Every structure is written in structure tokens, then in C-alpha cells.
Amino acid sequence: MTQSTNRRDFLKQSAAVGATAWWFGTQSLAAQEKSPLERLNIACVGVGGKGNSDTNGLAKYGNVIGLCDVDETAAKKQGIRHKKAKQYSDYREMYDDIGDEIDVVSVSTPDHSHAPAALPAMRMGKHVYVQKPLTWSVEEARVMREVAAKEGIVTQMGNQGTADDGMRTSVEVLRSGAIGDVSEVHIWTNRPIWPQGTGRPKGSDPVPPNLHWDLFLGPAPERPYKNGVYTPFKWRGWLDFGTGALGDMACHTANMPVMALNLFDPTSVVAETAGIVENETYPAWSIITFQFPEKDGRGPVKVVWYDGGKLPPKELLEGESPSGSGCVVVGSKGKMYSRDDYGRTRIMLPKDEFADYKEPEKTLPRTNGHYEEFMMAAKAGDPKMTMSNFDYAGRLTETILLGNVAMRAGQKIEWDAKNMKVTNMDDGGESLIRRKYREGFDIAQYQEA
């Protein structure tokens, strides 16, 4: 019997343990494993920047066998720690080479490559972890959600606040009706902290020998390389590669109220901004208003997003100082103010009226942590064990990215979620909710049943 067969047998046996352990005070995954054969094999796409912590976070609970990055320096640096892992620059080559050995794939690339890198792995039946926002476009978020459901795989988006017990408690507080009927949510961030609101620079520079520029571009249109303009990290502000401040942070900061109030599929979105520059970069600031209809027993809710130094009206905070990022949820009986990115902290307002407030009983499972939750679910083969699975994360990302659609449209958009169309635009918003892919990176082949 081969080692590969032995490993699969071990995984099948231990899956039953993971499935029944669940999240309430469960034994850690590391404590459950008695043999290296029980550990899942992980292939990582994008291993520099945030990909560094994702790779090493997942590696605590599995064997890293593949490292892929368009920057050879990043892959080599990770290779020092994960000596048995093969190194690649192109994820397609990695899947072709060691696909049969892979159990789990992580994708921590720039936003525009999330779906093209993840979907082939999902169609191969691999469990997939993808950084936030889940995708670059609205259509991709819908596709990722649908494919995950069809394949029955374990998935998780990298908004780690979801696996924080404080955030889950905040959700329970709102769902309990502590602040009454919610009518407004105001969310803000200190982003962007990268260059944004500028046009494309002229000319080109030689591509560094360690960087595969064509692979970095991936599905995006070709453009010349410029030193220090797009890589590293500065890609977030460029329309072709990133999703701006909204895409970067709303999957964190909006996550708690969205989950608590089921804030999906707005009927309209309008953006006030400093203006997209030359159809190249996101605005220096924006204020985006989402209108959500009545749903599941709650009334309509207005959600307002602020970035680039813009903040909600001071009176909403009732004398509390505004944090660098956070949200305030406005109800008929009071407010809940969270001063962090993840919604894990709470100040109940007015303070004197909530001086004796006691948190409700737990209704959500507790967790061992972000990466362990995902890997335990993957071991068990249970898609429902991850709270930020693609069924949820796909809807969250799709909803958030409609803010960018409104921003790029330059007008209020009326949204038909069922048919995925902007009803008040002649083309249904076609060019704003999906993209044209460069040859070799199209996702169409992975959309088919």
C-alpha cells in the first residue's frame, strides 16, 4: 500500500472526529493528529505580503507541498521555511504538476487573480481558502459561490474577524434586539493607505528579473511595468488589479452588521466621491450609500460607507471619539458602536441607559481560530463548519462590490440581484459587474456545470 493511500485512509478515519468535534470547546486540530499522514497537503498561491501569514498560518495544521508566486524572491523566502515544497511562478503549472497530491489551496494574490487562481482548484475538488475580498468583480463572487456549492468543498474567505468570538457576540447582541429595530449603519475606515486618485504614469521600466510581470497581470489588460507603481502592495488602488478602500476593508468592517442583519442584495447604491481618475485609480475618498429593503422581519436599512478621511456625523457617537475605523449601528432603542475593524468590541449607547446591560445567551458556535477552523472543516469535509464559507462570503463580497459599481457608473444604480443586472442602465451594467479576461486566464470554462 502506498503512502498516498495510507494518508487518504487516515484522513477518512479522522474526518469523523472533526465533524463531531464542532466548535464549542473542541479539542485543537494539532492535538487530534497522531501522524504526519493525517495532515492535509497545502498548495499556496501568493506567498508574499498577506500570503506570508496565510501560508504560515495554514502550515500549522498541514503540510505545505507547493509554493507559487509571480515574485520568485517571495517563493524562495518561503522555501527556506517549507523545504519540501516545490516552487512555481504559475499556479496553472503547479496544478498540472502536483494537483493529485493537493488537498487544500490558499489564494492570497492581488484581488484580480483571486477567481482565476481559485476556480480551477475548486473544480478539481480542492478545499479552498481565498483572501478578502473574495473576488475582483460582482460576477466572480456569484460564480465562486455557485461553484463551491456544486463541488461540495470546504471554503473560507480571509476575513479573520469572522473567527473571533467577540465579533460573534456582537452579532448575537444585534440579533437579540438589544438596540431595537435597526434603521441605519455607518461604517468607516482609515484606508486608503496606498497611492490612489492618480492617473497612469508615462513610459516603462525594465521588469526586475525576479518578477514575472505577465503572470502578475493575469486576467487584466496588458500595461507596461513601472518601478514602485503597482508592486508590491500598491496595486490595491488600481482598477485593473484591486478593489480600492471599499474592497480592501468592508469585508472586515461591514462583516458584523451584514451578518447580524442579513444585509445582502441592496436595491440601490449611490456613491459620492472625489472621482475616479482617468479610469485608472479609485478616488481619494468616497461616501457610498446602500439601501436594503425589508427582510426576515426587519425593516429597511440604510448603510453608509466612508473612506479617505471621511467620517459619519459626530452626533451619532454621542460624545465618543471616532476610531480610525469602525461602525455604529442605529436602532430604535439605542446604538452599538464598535471601534475596530472586526466588530469584536462594543460600546452600547447611550451609556447610562445600558449601564446594566447583560449580553444575551450564546447562539453562535465558538471557534479555535481562523486558520484552524478552516483546516478542521477541510479534514472533516464539512462546508458548514466555516462561518465565512463562500455561500456567505460570496454574498458579502457581491454586496460590497456593488459600491464600486456605483462609483464607476457615476450615478445611482438600481440593482436586480436575481438577474444580476443594473436595471437603470441600458446595458444592465454589463461592463461594470464583469470583466474581459486576457487569454489564458478566462474563468468561463469553470462556470459550466
Side-chain angles (χ1 to χ4, degrees):
M1 186 178 290
T2 66
Q3 179 167 317
S4 176
T5 303
N6 279 334
R7 188 180 66 82
R8 285 196 297 270
D9 289 341
F10 269 116
L11 293 177
K12 288 178 182 179
Q13 293 168 11
S14 61
V17 176
T20 56
W22 208 236
W23 298 326
F24 287 103
T26 186
Q27 184 185 36
S28 73
L29 182 58
Q32 293 176 28
E33 294 171 334
K34 307 301 181 185
S35 163
L37 291 174
E38 295 184 62
R39 292 167 65 83
L40 298 176
N41 287 340
I42 307 166
C44 304
V45 184
V47 298
K50 190 68 182 77
N52 175 63
S53 58
D54 287 340
T55 299
N56 295 324
L58 293 170
K60 294 178 182 178
Y61 312 104
N63 308 310
V64 176
I65 65 168
L67 297 167
C68 179
D69 203 289
V70 298
D71 183 346
E72 293 182 11
T73 302
K76 289 177 180 177
K77 185 176 180 180
Q78 280 289 356
I80 296 172
R81 182 166 184 166
H82 306 290
K83 292 181 170 57
K84 295 183 179 181
K86 292 185 177 181
Q87 297 178 27
Y88 304 85
S89 299
D90 190 330
Y91 54 80
R92 298 168 299 185
E93 292 181 6
M94 181 172 70
Y95 296 156
D96 287 343
D97 186 27
I98 60 171
D100 290 345
E101 303 171 49
I102 297 170
D103 300 306
V104 169
V105 171
S106 68
V107 177
S108 306
T109 65
D111 303 346
H112 70 303
S113 289
H114 285 184
L119 281 166
M122 294 167 70
R123 283 301 192 188
M124 293 167 68
K126 311 305 179 185
H127 306 303
V128 176
Y129 172 99
V130 179
Q131 255 307 319
K132 54 76 194 169
L134 185 61
T135 60
W136 180 89
S137 74
V138 169
E139 180 192 48
E140 289 172 342
R142 182 74 61 94
V143 171
M144 293 272 273
R145 176 185 169 199
E146 292 174 346
V147 171
K150 289 176 184 176
E151 296 295 335
I153 55 175
V154 173
T155 56
Q156 181 167 275
M157 182 172 72
N159 56 341
Q160 61 267 32
T162 308
D164 185 287
D165 288 346
M167 180 271 189
R168 297 184 184 189
T169 301
S170 294
V171 170
E172 291 165 342
V173 170
L174 287 182
R175 288 180 176 176
S176 74
I179 63 170
D181 297 325
V182 174
S183 58
E184 295 182 19
V185 181
H186 297 260
I187 307 165
W188 63 97
T189 181
N190 59 3
R191 268 49 166 194
I193 55 173
W194 50 80
Q196 201 163 288
T198 61
R200 185 187 299 197
K202 296 180 180 180
S204 63
D205 294 316
V207 178
N210 59 294
L211 178 63
H212 293 259
W213 180 241
D214 183 71
L215 294 176
F216 172 87
L217 292 175
E222 291 187 22
R223 69 169 64 207
Y225 173 81
K226 285 290 292 181
N227 283 331
V229 174
Y230 308 112
T231 64
F233 185 65
K234 296 178 182 178
W235 51 266
R236 286 196 182 277
W238 296 89
L239 267 65
D240 279 349
F241 309 132
T243 50
L246 178 71
D248 179 44
M249 291 307 297
C251 285
H252 287 318
T253 315
N255 186 28
M256 181 271 291
V258 166
M259 182 179 291
L261 302 169
N262 200 9
L263 296 174
F264 302 113
D265 305 333
T267 51
S268 70
V269 187
V270 62
E272 176 189 356
T273 78
I276 288 177
V277 179
E278 299 175 7
N279 202 35
E280 288 281 355
T281 60
Y282 292 94
W285 62 266
S286 66
I287 300 174
I288 306 172
T289 302
F290 301 76
Q291 298 287 353
F292 294 88
E294 296 181 17
K295 190 173 186 178
D296 300 332
R298 63 152 172 79
V301 178
K302 178 177 74 173
V303 175
V304 187
W305 165 269
Y306 310 80
D307 64 46
K310 300 298 181 180
L311 293 170
K314 290 182 179 180
E315 55 268 23
L316 285 174
L317 301 182
E318 301 194 16
E320 293 293 316
S321 59
S323 51
S325 61
C327 73
V328 59
V329 185
V330 182
S332 58
K333 298 179 181 178
K335 302 169 188 172
M336 189 172 79
Y337 171 31
S338 181
R339 296 176 55 86
D340 64 80
D341 289 332
Y342 306 127
R344 59 191 172 194
T345 61
R346 293 163 300 284
I347 300 174
M348 308 297 286
L349 301 172
K351 282 186 174 181
D352 56 347
E353 295 184 18
F354 286 91
D356 299 322
Y357 175 73
K358 294 182 180 180
E359 293 173 353
E361 292 186 8
K362 297 176 182 177
T363 57
L364 295 175
R366 290 333 192 225
T367 175
N368 281 344
H370 183 56
Y371 298 113
E372 187 166 2
E373 180 170 298
F374 171 68
M375 293 298 283
M376 285 187 72
K379 280 286 295 288
D382 187 346
K384 295 181 180 179
M385 283 180 67
T386 54
M387 192 170 285
S388 196
N389 58 63
F390 289 1
D391 183 55
Y392 172 77
R395 298 183 74 194
L396 172 65
T397 299
E398 180 178 323
T399 297
I400 286 166
L401 292 184
L402 287 171
N404 282 347
V405 172
M407 194 184 300
R408 294 172 64 194
Q411 65 176 69
K412 180 179 180 180
I413 63 167
E414 305 287 345
W415 181 240
D416 175 358
K418 181 179 180 180
N419 296 302
M420 207 161 58
K421 289 184 180 297
V422 178
T423 59
N424 60 328
M425 296 182 70
D426 290 341
D427 66 349
E430 176 78 14
S431 63
L432 303 178
I433 63 175
R434 54 180 52 88
R435 82 178 311 157
K436 293 181 179 179
Y437 296 83
R438 276 204 312 147
E439 185 176 354
F441 299 94
D442 199 324
I443 67 168
Q445 61 183 307
Y446 306 112
Q447 294 177 250
E448 300 172 1

mmCIF file of all heavy atoms in Angstrom, residues 74-99:
data_model
loop_
_atom_site.group_PDB
_atom_site.id
_atom_site.type_symbol
_atom_site.label_atom_id
_atom_site.label_comp_id
_atom_site.label_asym_id
_atom_site.label_seq_id
_atom_site.Cartn_x
_atom_site.Cartn_y
_atom_site.Cartn_z
ATOM 1 N N ALA A 74 9.783 35.913 -3.298
ATOM 2 C CA ALA A 74 8.818 35.555 -2.257
ATOM 3 C C ALA A 74 8.732 34.038 -2.101
ATOM 4 O O ALA A 74 8.681 33.521 -0.975
ATOM 5 C CB ALA A 74 7.449 36.140 -2.582
ATOM 6 N N ALA A 75 8.702 33.324 -3.231
ATOM 7 C CA ALA A 75 8.619 31.864 -3.165
ATOM 8 C C ALA A 75 9.882 31.272 -2.536
ATOM 9 O O ALA A 75 9.813 30.346 -1.720
ATOM 10 C CB ALA A 75 8.403 31.291 -4.555
ATOM 11 N N LYS A 76 11.031 31.806 -2.905
ATOM 12 C CA LYS A 76 12.292 31.293 -2.354
ATOM 13 C C LYS A 76 12.385 31.558 -0.851
ATOM 14 O O LYS A 76 12.886 30.725 -0.097
ATOM 15 C CB LYS A 76 13.477 31.933 -3.080
ATOM 16 C CG LYS A 76 13.650 31.444 -4.518
ATOM 17 C CD LYS A 76 14.802 32.162 -5.205
ATOM 18 C CE LYS A 76 14.967 31.665 -6.645
ATOM 19 N NZ LYS A 76 16.048 32.410 -7.358
ATOM 20 N N LYS A 77 11.905 32.706 -0.428
ATOM 21 C CA LYS A 77 11.923 33.026 1.005
ATOM 22 C C LYS A 77 11.052 32.048 1.787
ATOM 23 O O LYS A 77 11.452 31.563 2.855
ATOM 24 C CB LYS A 77 11.431 34.458 1.219
ATOM 25 C CG LYS A 77 11.523 34.935 2.657
ATOM 26 C CD LYS A 77 11.102 36.394 2.775
ATOM 27 C CE LYS A 77 11.196 36.874 4.225
ATOM 28 N NZ LYS A 77 10.797 38.304 4.353
ATOM 29 N N GLN A 78 9.868 31.749 1.264
ATOM 30 C CA GLN A 78 9.018 30.760 1.920
ATOM 31 C C GLN A 78 9.639 29.374 1.863
ATOM 32 O O GLN A 78 9.462 28.559 2.777
ATOM 33 C CB GLN A 78 7.633 30.731 1.278
ATOM 34 C CG GLN A 78 6.705 31.829 1.717
ATOM 35 C CD GLN A 78 6.221 31.663 3.148
ATOM 36 O OE1 GLN A 78 6.515 30.669 3.809
ATOM 37 N NE2 GLN A 78 5.494 32.639 3.640
ATOM 38 N N GLY A 79 10.379 29.107 0.793
ATOM 39 C CA GLY A 79 11.015 27.806 0.640
ATOM 40 C C GLY A 79 12.034 27.499 1.716
ATOM 41 O O GLY A 79 12.313 26.334 2.007
ATOM 42 N N ILE A 80 12.587 28.544 2.322
ATOM 43 C CA ILE A 80 13.537 28.334 3.423
ATOM 44 C C ILE A 80 12.831 27.676 4.596
ATOM 45 O O ILE A 80 13.393 26.816 5.285
ATOM 46 C CB ILE A 80 14.160 29.682 3.854
ATOM 47 C CG1 ILE A 80 14.991 30.260 2.704
ATOM 48 C CG2 ILE A 80 15.009 29.512 5.105
ATOM 49 C CD1 ILE A 80 15.490 31.667 2.960
ATOM 50 N N ARG A 81 11.587 28.065 4.830
ATOM 51 C CA ARG A 81 10.806 27.510 5.938
ATOM 52 C C ARG A 81 10.139 26.196 5.558
ATOM 53 O O ARG A 81 10.039 25.276 6.382
ATOM 54 C CB ARG A 81 9.755 28.528 6.370
ATOM 55 C CG ARG A 81 8.909 28.084 7.532
ATOM 56 C CD ARG A 81 8.139 29.239 8.130
ATOM 57 N NE ARG A 81 7.396 28.832 9.314
ATOM 58 C CZ ARG A 81 6.861 29.684 10.169
ATOM 59 N NH1 ARG A 81 6.991 30.986 9.987
ATOM 60 N NH2 ARG A 81 6.192 29.240 11.214
ATOM 61 N N HIS A 82 9.664 26.121 4.315
ATOM 62 C CA HIS A 82 8.944 24.924 3.865
ATOM 63 C C HIS A 82 9.817 24.213 2.827
ATOM 64 O O HIS A 82 9.571 24.301 1.622
ATOM 65 C CB HIS A 82 7.586 25.320 3.290
ATOM 66 C CG HIS A 82 6.766 26.154 4.226
ATOM 67 N ND1 HIS A 82 6.209 25.651 5.376
ATOM 68 C CD2 HIS A 82 6.437 27.477 4.196
ATOM 69 C CE1 HIS A 82 5.559 26.615 6.015
ATOM 70 N NE2 HIS A 82 5.687 27.730 5.316
ATOM 71 N N LYS A 83 10.809 23.527 3.317
ATOM 72 C CA LYS A 83 11.881 22.992 2.461
ATOM 73 C C LYS A 83 11.416 21.910 1.494
ATOM 74 O O LYS A 83 12.030 21.700 0.450
ATOM 75 C CB LYS A 83 13.014 22.460 3.342
ATOM 76 C CG LYS A 83 13.770 23.554 4.104
ATOM 77 C CD LYS A 83 14.892 22.981 4.946
ATOM 78 C CE LYS A 83 15.790 24.073 5.516
ATOM 79 N NZ LYS A 83 15.055 25.068 6.316
ATOM 80 N N LYS A 84 10.357 21.190 1.829
ATOM 81 C CA LYS A 84 9.898 20.094 0.970
ATOM 82 C C LYS A 84 8.928 20.570 -0.114
ATOM 83 O O LYS A 84 8.523 19.770 -0.964
ATOM 84 C CB LYS A 84 9.248 19.016 1.829
ATOM 85 C CG LYS A 84 10.222 18.324 2.780
ATOM 86 C CD LYS A 84 9.522 17.208 3.562
ATOM 87 C CE LYS A 84 10.503 16.513 4.501
ATOM 88 N NZ LYS A 84 9.835 15.411 5.259
ATOM 89 N N ALA A 85 8.550 21.836 -0.069
ATOM 90 C CA ALA A 85 7.575 22.354 -1.029
ATOM 91 C C ALA A 85 8.234 22.675 -2.367
ATOM 92 O O ALA A 85 9.307 23.282 -2.408
ATOM 93 C CB ALA A 85 6.905 23.601 -0.473
ATOM 94 N N LYS A 86 7.574 22.302 -3.457
ATOM 95 C CA LYS A 86 8.034 22.687 -4.784
ATOM 96 C C LYS A 86 7.644 24.141 -5.042
ATOM 97 O O LYS A 86 6.614 24.603 -4.559
ATOM 98 C CB LYS A 86 7.413 21.782 -5.851
ATOM 99 C CG LYS A 86 7.898 20.339 -5.796
ATOM 100 C CD LYS A 86 7.328 19.540 -6.962
ATOM 101 C CE LYS A 86 7.855 18.127 -6.977
ATOM 102 N NZ LYS A 86 7.312 17.336 -8.129
ATOM 103 N N GLN A 87 8.448 24.830 -5.821
ATOM 104 C CA GLN A 87 8.214 26.246 -6.074
ATOM 105 C C GLN A 87 7.826 26.491 -7.530
ATOM 106 O O GLN A 87 8.395 25.888 -8.447
ATOM 107 C CB GLN A 87 9.466 27.053 -5.725
ATOM 108 C CG GLN A 87 9.842 26.984 -4.253
ATOM 109 C CD GLN A 87 11.100 27.743 -3.929
ATOM 110 O OE1 GLN A 87 11.455 28.701 -4.613
ATOM 111 N NE2 GLN A 87 11.793 27.333 -2.865
ATOM 112 N N TYR A 88 6.863 27.401 -7.705
ATOM 113 C CA TYR A 88 6.330 27.711 -9.030
ATOM 114 C C TYR A 88 6.089 29.213 -9.152
ATOM 115 O O TYR A 88 5.932 29.910 -8.146
ATOM 116 C CB TYR A 88 5.003 26.982 -9.276
ATOM 117 C CG TYR A 88 5.060 25.488 -9.109
ATOM 118 C CD1 TYR A 88 4.897 24.910 -7.841
ATOM 119 C CD2 TYR A 88 5.261 24.649 -10.186
ATOM 120 C CE1 TYR A 88 4.946 23.538 -7.665
ATOM 121 C CE2 TYR A 88 5.308 23.272 -10.031
ATOM 122 C CZ TYR A 88 5.155 22.722 -8.767
ATOM 123 O OH TYR A 88 5.207 21.356 -8.602
ATOM 124 N N SER A 89 6.005 29.680 -10.394
ATOM 125 C CA SER A 89 5.601 31.055 -10.674
ATOM 126 C C SER A 89 4.194 31.127 -11.236
ATOM 127 O O SER A 89 3.543 32.169 -11.157
ATOM 128 C CB SER A 89 6.579 31.712 -11.665
ATOM 129 O OG SER A 89 7.882 31.748 -11.142
ATOM 130 N N ASP A 90 3.718 30.023 -11.811
ATOM 131 C CA ASP A 90 2.416 29.965 -12.471
ATOM 132 C C ASP A 90 1.569 28.901 -11.778
ATOM 133 O O ASP A 90 1.929 27.721 -11.759
ATOM 134 C CB ASP A 90 2.608 29.614 -13.944
ATOM 135 C CG ASP A 90 1.346 29.764 -14.781
ATOM 136 O OD1 ASP A 90 0.244 29.580 -14.224
ATOM 137 O OD2 ASP A 90 1.453 30.047 -15.989
ATOM 138 N N TYR A 91 0.429 29.297 -11.200
ATOM 139 C CA TYR A 91 -0.415 28.335 -10.481
ATOM 140 C C TYR A 91 -0.944 27.248 -11.405
ATOM 141 O O TYR A 91 -1.198 26.108 -10.977
ATOM 142 C CB TYR A 91 -1.572 29.037 -9.758
ATOM 143 C CG TYR A 91 -2.443 29.915 -10.617
ATOM 144 C CD1 TYR A 91 -3.448 29.389 -11.420
ATOM 145 C CD2 TYR A 91 -2.271 31.301 -10.615
ATOM 146 C CE1 TYR A 91 -4.245 30.201 -12.200
ATOM 147 C CE2 TYR A 91 -3.074 32.121 -11.392
ATOM 148 C CZ TYR A 91 -4.059 31.572 -12.178
ATOM 149 O OH TYR A 91 -4.848 32.392 -12.956
ATOM 150 N N ARG A 92 -1.104 27.549 -12.681
ATOM 151 C CA ARG A 92 -1.594 26.541 -13.621
ATOM 152 C C ARG A 92 -0.596 25.393 -13.747
ATOM 153 O O ARG A 92 -0.982 24.218 -13.817
ATOM 154 C CB ARG A 92 -1.863 27.195 -14.982
ATOM 155 C CG ARG A 92 -2.948 28.273 -14.931
ATOM 156 C CD ARG A 92 -3.013 29.107 -16.184
ATOM 157 N NE ARG A 92 -1.757 29.820 -16.417
ATOM 158 C CZ ARG A 92 -1.563 30.692 -17.398
ATOM 159 N NH1 ARG A 92 -2.557 30.967 -18.242
ATOM 160 N NH2 ARG A 92 -0.403 31.296 -17.546
ATOM 161 N N GLU A 93 0.681 25.732 -13.771
ATOM 162 C CA GLU A 93 1.720 24.693 -13.826
ATOM 163 C C GLU A 93 1.746 23.888 -12.532
ATOM 164 O O GLU A 93 1.948 22.662 -12.558
ATOM 165 C CB GLU A 93 3.084 25.343 -14.074
ATOM 166 C CG GLU A 93 3.227 25.966 -15.452
ATOM 167 C CD GLU A 93 4.599 26.582 -15.664
ATOM 168 O OE1 GLU A 93 5.475 26.421 -14.768
ATOM 169 O OE2 GLU A 93 4.797 27.225 -16.702
ATOM 170 N N MET A 94 1.529 24.551 -11.406
ATOM 171 C CA MET A 94 1.522 23.841 -10.130
ATOM 172 C C MET A 94 0.375 22.834 -10.079
ATOM 173 O O MET A 94 0.562 21.695 -9.644
ATOM 174 C CB MET A 94 1.417 24.831 -8.976
ATOM 175 C CG MET A 94 1.428 24.174 -7.601
ATOM 176 S SD MET A 94 1.535 25.343 -6.225
ATOM 177 C CE MET A 94 -0.098 26.098 -6.311
ATOM 178 N N TYR A 95 -0.812 23.256 -10.522
ATOM 179 C CA TYR A 95 -1.950 22.336 -10.504
ATOM 180 C C TYR A 95 -1.700 21.144 -11.419
ATOM 181 O O TYR A 95 -2.056 20.009 -11.077
ATOM 182 C CB TYR A 95 -3.221 23.062 -10.945
ATOM 183 C CG TYR A 95 -3.673 24.183 -10.028
ATOM 184 C CD1 TYR A 95 -4.469 25.230 -10.506
ATOM 185 C CD2 TYR A 95 -3.323 24.220 -8.682
ATOM 186 C CE1 TYR A 95 -4.904 26.254 -9.678
ATOM 187 C CE2 TYR A 95 -3.743 25.240 -7.850
ATOM 188 C CZ TYR A 95 -4.526 26.260 -8.353
ATOM 189 O OH TYR A 95 -4.946 27.276 -7.533
ATOM 190 N N ASP A 96 -1.105 21.392 -12.584
ATOM 191 C CA ASP A 96 -0.814 20.301 -13.512
ATOM 192 C C ASP A 96 0.216 19.329 -12.934
ATOM 193 O O ASP A 96 0.133 18.117 -13.133
ATOM 194 C CB ASP A 96 -0.289 20.851 -14.840
ATOM 195 C CG ASP A 96 -1.369 21.517 -15.674
ATOM 196 O OD1 ASP A 96 -2.564 21.278 -15.397
ATOM 197 O OD2 ASP A 96 -1.016 22.288 -16.591
ATOM 198 N N ASP A 97 1.172 19.880 -12.208
ATOM 199 C CA ASP A 97 2.304 19.075 -11.725
ATOM 200 C C ASP A 97 1.962 18.253 -10.487
ATOM 201 O O ASP A 97 2.210 17.047 -10.438
ATOM 202 C CB ASP A 97 3.492 19.997 -11.440
ATOM 203 C CG ASP A 97 4.756 19.234 -11.080
ATOM 204 O OD1 ASP A 97 4.904 18.068 -11.509
ATOM 205 O OD2 ASP A 97 5.609 19.808 -10.381
ATOM 206 N N ILE A 98 1.382 18.886 -9.464
ATOM 207 C CA ILE A 98 1.171 18.184 -8.190
ATOM 208 C C ILE A 98 -0.302 18.176 -7.778
ATOM 209 O O ILE A 98 -0.629 17.930 -6.617
ATOM 210 C CB ILE A 98 2.027 18.796 -7.058
ATOM 211 C CG1 ILE A 98 1.673 20.283 -6.838
ATOM 212 C CG2 ILE A 98 3.502 18.632 -7.352
ATOM 213 C CD1 ILE A 98 2.337 20.878 -5.594
ATOM 214 N N GLY A 99 -1.188 18.424 -8.737
ATOM 215 C CA GLY A 99 -2.612 18.502 -8.416
ATOM 216 C C GLY A 99 -3.155 17.284 -7.692
ATOM 217 O O GLY A 99 -3.994 17.411 -6.792
#
